[in-house]
Amino acid sequence: MKILDKYIIKSYMITFTTVFVILFFIFVLQGIWLFIAELAGKDLDLFTIIKFLSYYAPTIVPLVLPLSILLAGIMTFGSFAENYEFAAMKSSGISLQRAMKMLTITIGILAIVSFFFANNIIPEAQYKFINLRKTIVQQKPAMAISEGQFNTIGSSTIKVDKKSGDNGEFLDGVTMHVKNTNLGLGANTIIKAKKGLLTSEEDSNYLQLELYDGHYYEDVQPTNYEDRNKLPFAKSSFKKYVINIDLTKLNQAEIDQGDITSEKMLTIPELKYTLDSLQNNFDKDVVSFADNLALRNDNIFYKKLQKTQLAAPKKDIMVKDLLSIFPKKEKIQIIEMAKNNISSTDFSIQNTQIDLEYKSKNINAHWLAIHEKFVIAYSCLLMFFIGAPLGAIIRKGGLGLPIVFAMLIFISFHFINTFGRKLAQEDTISPFLGAWMASLLMTPFAILLTYRATNDIGIMVNFDWITEPFQKLFSKITQNNTN
C-alpha cells in the first residue's frame, strides 16, 4: 500500500470514527427517552441500566453506520478538494478513481462486516433486550400497568384507577377488556373489580393478577347463526378471580414501537426454516378452507333431497328450475336455508380473509428481515459512492455544508426505505421491492455523482439538449415576424 493510500484511508477513518461515535451517542440518548418509562422509578442499579443500553445499542447501528459513511465521505473528500490536495494528486497523474481505489476496498470490507453484524449480533442483542425488559417488569410487576389509562397486555387491555403499596402491587378500580379469540369480533368479555393484587415469581414467565369483589360481562357466540341476532350474553359476579398474564406478550404495542419483533431475532438460516413452515401452513389453510367451503355448498340440496325422499331427476331429463321438483313448503325451507348458508359463508370468508391476511403479513415480515440484512451491507457501499464524489464536487469540508447534504440524502433514503417496508408489510408490493426500493432509487444517483466527479464535470447538469430546439423555434418565429 502506497503512502497516499495510507494517508487517504487514515484521514477518512479518523473522520468516520468521530462522526460514528457522535451519532451513536445521539441515537442512544434518543433510545433512553424512548424507554424512559421502563427505566424510571424502578430502583434499577447502574449495571442493569448499562446492560439495557448495551443490548439496545446494536439495533441502531443500521441507522448510524450508513449515515456516518456518507457524512465522512463528504467531509473527507470535500476537505481534500478545498485544500487543493486533489489538484496536487491530478498534477502528479493520480485520478480521483485511483485515489478512491484502496478506500473502496476498505468500505467493502466494512460492508461485509456489517452484514455479519446484522445477521448474528443484532438478533442476539434483541433477544437479550426483550428478556431484560421482562426481568425489569418482574422486579416491580405493577410498573407494567400505568395508572389511569388502558394498557395492552397480550389479547387484553387493563386500566386501574389507583395503585398503592411499596411496589405498587395493590390495585383499586380494575377494569379489563378481553378480546375475542376469533378475529374481527372485538372484545367479548369485560371484567370489573374493586380491588386487585399483582404478583410474580422469580424465573416465571407469568404475572398473577388476583381480582376481588367484582363481576364480568361476556358476549356469547351461539353455534346457530340465527341466534346471534338476539345478542345473547352471560353475566356473573365473583369474590376472587385469578388471571395469569403472559410476560412474553407484555406491552406488545410498546415492543412493536421499538421496532423489535420475533423475526428480527432470527438469523438467515433460522428465518428460512421459519418461512418454510409459515408458507406450508398458509398453503394448507387456503386449500382446507376452499375444500370445506365447496363441500358445504355442494351438500345443501343433496341433504334436502335425502330428507324429502324425492328421487333425483333422470340424466336424460333437463330441469331448468331445481326448486320446481319440491313442494311449496319445501321451497320456502330451502330458500331460508340458502339465505342462512350465504350469511354463514360470508361471515366465514371475512374471518378467514382476516386470518390469511395476518399470516401473509407475517410471511412478508420474515422476507423483509432477510433482505434487510443484505440492504445494510449494500447501503454502506451506496452511501460511500454518494458521499465521496459529492464531497469532491462541492469542495467543502468541515461540519457546515456537508452536514446539510448528508442529512438531506439520508433522510430521503430513510423515508423511501420506511415507505417501501410499510408497503411490503401490507402486501401491496413484494418484500424484495419494499426492502430494496431506496437502494434501487439511490443507485443511479450514486453512479451519476461518481461519473461526474471522476470526469471533472461538476454537479451542474446540462439541459441544452432540451432547451435548444425551443430556442431555435423561437428565433425563427421572431425573425419571420420581423420580416
Side-chain angles (χ1 to χ4, degrees):
M1 186 181 294
K2 295 184 178 180
I3 297 176
L4 180 62
D5 294 326
K6 293 181 179 178
Y7 172 72
I8 293 175
I9 293 176
K10 179 181 177 181
S11 301
Y12 180 87
M13 293 308 296
I14 290 175
T15 306
F16 167 77
T17 304
T18 304
V19 171
F20 183 84
V21 171
I22 294 174
L23 293 177
F24 189 80
F25 180 73
I26 293 173
F27 277 85
V28 168
L29 288 179
Q30 185 265 343
I32 294 176
W33 286 111
L34 183 64
F35 300 105
I36 191 65
E38 298 184 31
L39 299 175
K42 296 188 179 181
D43 298 330
L44 300 177
D45 57 276
L46 181 61
F47 181 69
T48 302
I49 296 177
I50 292 175
K51 281 203 307 181
F52 186 92
L53 296 178
S54 63
Y55 292 153
Y56 171 74
T59 63
I60 64 176
V61 171
L63 281 176
V64 177
L65 185 60
L67 179 58
S68 301
I69 292 175
L70 174 64
L71 186 55
I74 297 176
M75 292 175 62
T76 303
F77 283 79
S79 179
F80 287 162
E82 187 178 18
N83 297 324
Y84 300 101
E85 292 178 89
F86 275 142
M89 296 179 194
K90 292 175 183 178
S91 63
S92 302
I94 300 174
S95 63
L96 177 62
Q97 186 177 3
R98 170 62 185 84
M100 293 173 59
K101 181 178 178 181
M102 293 306 298
L103 187 55
T104 302
I105 296 175
T106 304
I107 298 299
I109 296 174
L110 183 61
I112 296 174
V113 172
S114 68
F115 169 76
F116 286 101
F117 184 86
N119 188 48
N120 298 282
I121 306 299
I122 293 179
E124 183 69 19
Q126 292 198 342
Y127 174 76
K128 292 182 178 180
F129 182 57
I130 290 181
N131 285 334
L132 182 60
R133 292 174 69 181
K134 185 186 71 173
T135 303
I136 292 174
V137 171
Q138 285 180 325
Q139 290 183 3
K140 286 190 176 182
M143 296 300 295
I145 301 174
S146 301
E147 190 176 281
Q149 66 183 35
F150 281 99
N151 304 266
T152 301
I153 302 177
S155 60
S156 306
T157 55
I158 181 171
K159 182 179 77 72
V160 298
D161 296 334
K162 185 179 179 181
K163 297 190 300 183
S164 59
D166 296 335
N167 296 325
E169 68 274 15
F170 298 106
L171 312 177
D172 294 331
V174 181
T175 303
M176 287 191 67
H177 290 240
V178 182
K179 297 179 182 178
N180 196 304
T181 54
N182 297 323
L183 297 176
L185 293 180
N188 73 331
T189 303
I190 300 175
I191 304 173
K192 293 182 69 68
K194 295 180 180 179
K195 300 289 182 180
L197 176 63
L198 193 61
T199 59
S200 65
E201 297 180 1
E202 190 175 357
D203 299 330
S204 175
N205 289 327
Y206 292 91
L207 296 177
Q208 191 175 79
L209 176 60
E210 298 180 3
L211 301 177
Y212 302 95
D213 296 330
H215 61 273
Y216 74 89
Y217 169 94
E218 181 179 4
D219 292 328
V220 178
Q221 294 294 330
T223 55
N224 190 353
Y225 186 79
E226 293 180 349
D227 294 336
R228 296 179 184 179
N229 295 327
K230 300 178 182 179
L231 302 177
F233 67 93
K235 184 178 180 181
S236 180
S237 60
F238 56 85
K239 289 294 182 180
K240 181 179 179 180
Y241 186 63
V242 180
I243 301 174
N244 291 321
I245 301 173
D246 190 358
L247 283 177
T248 59
K249 299 180 180 179
L250 186 63
N251 291 336
Q252 188 65 40
E254 295 180 5
I255 291 177
D256 290 341
Q257 290 176 3
D259 199 25
I260 299 176
T261 51
S262 59
E263 65 272 4
K264 293 185 178 294
M265 296 186 289
L266 303 176
T267 61
I268 289 180
E270 294 170 342
L271 283 167
K272 289 183 177 180
Y273 178 81
T274 306
L275 269 170
D276 185 60
S277 300
L278 292 175
Q279 190 64 52
N280 288 336
N281 291 334
F282 180 83
D283 295 338
K284 288 180 180 178
D285 289 344
V286 172
V287 173
S288 176
F289 174 73
D291 291 342
N292 292 335
L293 190 63
L295 183 63
R296 179 170 57 183
N297 290 333
D298 288 342
N299 288 340
I300 178 173
F301 288 106
Y302 176 73
K303 291 181 179 179
K304 195 63 182 176
L305 283 169
Q306 285 184 327
K307 289 182 179 180
T308 55
Q309 296 181 351
L310 290 175
K314 297 180 180 180
K315 294 182 179 180
D316 56 346
I317 299 177
M318 298 297 297
V319 180
K320 295 183 179 181
D321 186 4
L322 186 60
L323 289 176
S324 62
I325 66 177
F326 294 97
K328 182 177 180 181
K329 183 179 179 180
E330 299 294 335
K331 289 180 181 180
I332 297 175
Q333 293 179 356
I334 291 175
I335 292 174
E336 289 296 327
M337 186 169 57
K339 288 181 180 180
N340 294 336
N341 184 69
I342 292 173
S343 300
S344 178
T345 301
D346 181 64
F347 180 79
S348 178
I349 290 175
Q350 291 180 3
N351 287 338
T352 305
Q353 182 181 6
I354 295 174
D355 184 43
L356 292 178
E357 286 178 354
Y358 172 78
K359 292 181 178 180
S360 178
K361 291 178 182 179
N362 191 24
I363 293 174
N364 291 338
H366 282 74
W367 276 115
L368 282 172
I370 292 178
H371 289 299
E372 285 174 355
K373 298 180 189 299
F374 294 95
V375 170
I376 292 172
Y378 182 76
S379 64
C380 294
L381 292 171
L382 179 64
M383 291 300 149
F384 173 73
F385 282 104
I386 292 178
L390 185 60
I393 291 174
I394 64 176
R395 298 179 181 181
K396 286 291 183 181
L399 296 174
L401 191 61
I403 289 182
V404 175
F405 278 100
M407 293 306 298
L408 289 175
I409 294 171
F410 185 76
I411 289 174
S412 301
F413 177 82
H414 184 64
F415 174 78
I416 297 173
N417 189 35
T418 304
F419 178 72
R421 188 167 63 248
K422 292 295 183 182
L423 289 179
Q425 288 175 347
E426 297 298 327
D427 207 15
T428 305
I429 59 177
S430 66
F432 175 83
L433 184 59
W436 290 91
M437 180 182 291
S439 300
L440 293 175
L441 292 177
M442 286 290 187
T443 298
F445 183 56
I447 295 174
L448 177 64
L449 288 177
T450 304
Y451 174 78
R452 289 186 164 273
T454 53
N455 291 277
D456 293 328
I457 298 177
I459 201 170
M460 298 301 296
V461 181
N462 188 1
F463 291 101
D464 290 343
W465 61 278
I466 297 177
T467 59
E468 188 174 353
F470 293 98
Q471 291 177 352
K472 290 182 180 180
L473 179 61
F474 181 75
S475 299
K476 289 182 180 180
I477 294 174
T478 304
Q479 186 177 2
N480 293 333
N481 291 336
T482 303
N483 294 333

